[in-house]
Amino acid sequence: DIAAAIATMKRDYAIDDNRIFLSGYSAGGSAVMTIAARHPDQFAGVIPLAAFGNNAFLDSLYNLPVFCHHGQHDWTSAIDNVRVYFQQLRAMGATALLKEYPDRGHSVGPPENLHDWLMAQRRVERPQRVLHRCDTPAQGKAYWVRIRRFIDIHRHGRVSVLHHGLGEQQILVVQADNINVLKLSLDCSPVELDHDLTIHANGNEL
């Protein structure tokens, strides 16, 4: 439904592809976090209100700014849950903010200090580092990386790809877990195709 709504807005209005945000309240906040983690390359940021959920793979949010809003007296979705995920995002180097409302419960109302944050964000198109975790290969695309096949279909797959540019020499460092086939779309990546490229996959040079 969200994809259909975005497609309709793009068709009927002059929408900037690099300035599309997700936001949801309570259960909707949990839903948008799951969607954002599955399709991080589609959005400029995500704003969960009074929720975060527990189904979002945080790895995939590495390049997607997150701005959480939560009441300290929330009786439905405990703020400690959001604090834990916020701290994990910050620890992994992701861009994350948490606005706590000391006098509010589950209803945070219109979020404060949001306009300036929104105006400062743009969708990242060709990140130097891509982290992505997914349940199925159907959810395996993130930026210029696509997980095509798992080794074990009963486990999720995870990939980390880091681009180093050292003058004329470029290096891609790939760490893959439970991935049998991985596709790298170099023409959509930060790799300069006219320079030498070395790929290290799980410690082995290709």
Side-chain angles (χ1 to χ4, degrees):
D1 291 343
I2 288 178
I6 292 174
T8 298
M9 295 296 288
K10 286 182 178 181
R11 183 193 67 208
D12 296 339
Y13 299 93
I15 301 300
D16 185 348
D17 283 349
N18 295 317
R19 302 296 295 280
I20 298 174
F21 298 85
L22 279 177
S23 184
Y25 165 71
S26 191
S30 300
V32 297
M33 293 310 301
T34 300
I35 293 168
R38 289 179 178 176
H39 308 284
D41 53 349
Q42 300 300 307
F43 306 102
V46 57
I47 306 104
L49 308 175
F52 194 104
N54 54 15
N55 294 319
F57 290 133
L58 299 187
D59 314 48
S60 301
L61 302 172
Y62 180 77
N63 293 296
L64 184 63
V66 178
F67 195 174
C68 306
H69 294 258
H70 213 97
Q72 290 183 354
H73 300 286
D74 194 327
W75 58 88
T76 300
S77 177
I79 193 170
D80 286 343
N81 183 55
V82 177
R83 287 170 176 163
V84 167
Y85 288 126
F86 165 72
Q87 291 166 2
Q88 291 177 351
L89 285 171
R90 293 298 295 269
M92 63 184 270
T95 300
L97 293 174
L98 170 58
K99 172 66 177 177
E100 297 189 8
Y101 297 83
D103 58 343
R104 299 185 191 174
H106 191 55
S107 177
V108 296
E112 300 172 1
N113 304 321
L114 187 57
H115 179 270
D116 290 344
W117 183 84
L118 287 170
M119 294 299 100
Q121 311 306 322
R122 292 186 67 83
R123 181 172 65 95
V124 178
E125 296 184 74
R126 301 186 179 202
Q128 296 290 123
R129 185 181 187 189
V130 176
L131 298 177
H132 195 53
R133 188 188 301 259
C134 58
D135 289 318
T136 71
Q139 301 165 0
K141 182 182 180 300
Y143 307 98
W144 47 278
V145 175
R146 181 185 289 274
I147 298 169
R148 300 297 295 269
R149 187 181 302 163
F150 288 177
I151 296 172
D152 181 354
I153 63 172
H154 303 291
R155 297 172 49 223
H156 60 252
R158 181 185 185 277
V159 65
S160 168
V161 183
L162 177 62
H163 170 252
H164 295 283
L166 306 172
E168 296 294 318
Q169 178 64 43
Q170 298 179 94
I171 298 174
L172 286 181
V173 180
V174 180
Q175 294 292 330
D177 179 32
N178 194 38
I179 295 174
N180 183 265
V181 178
L182 179 70
K183 177 181 178 181
L184 305 178
S185 299
L186 299 184
D187 57 331
C188 301
S189 76
V191 172
E192 297 182 33
L193 298 179
D194 56 342
H195 291 174
D196 293 335
L197 175 64
T198 301
I199 300 177
H200 295 272
N202 287 359
N204 300 309
E205 183 174 326
L206 303 182

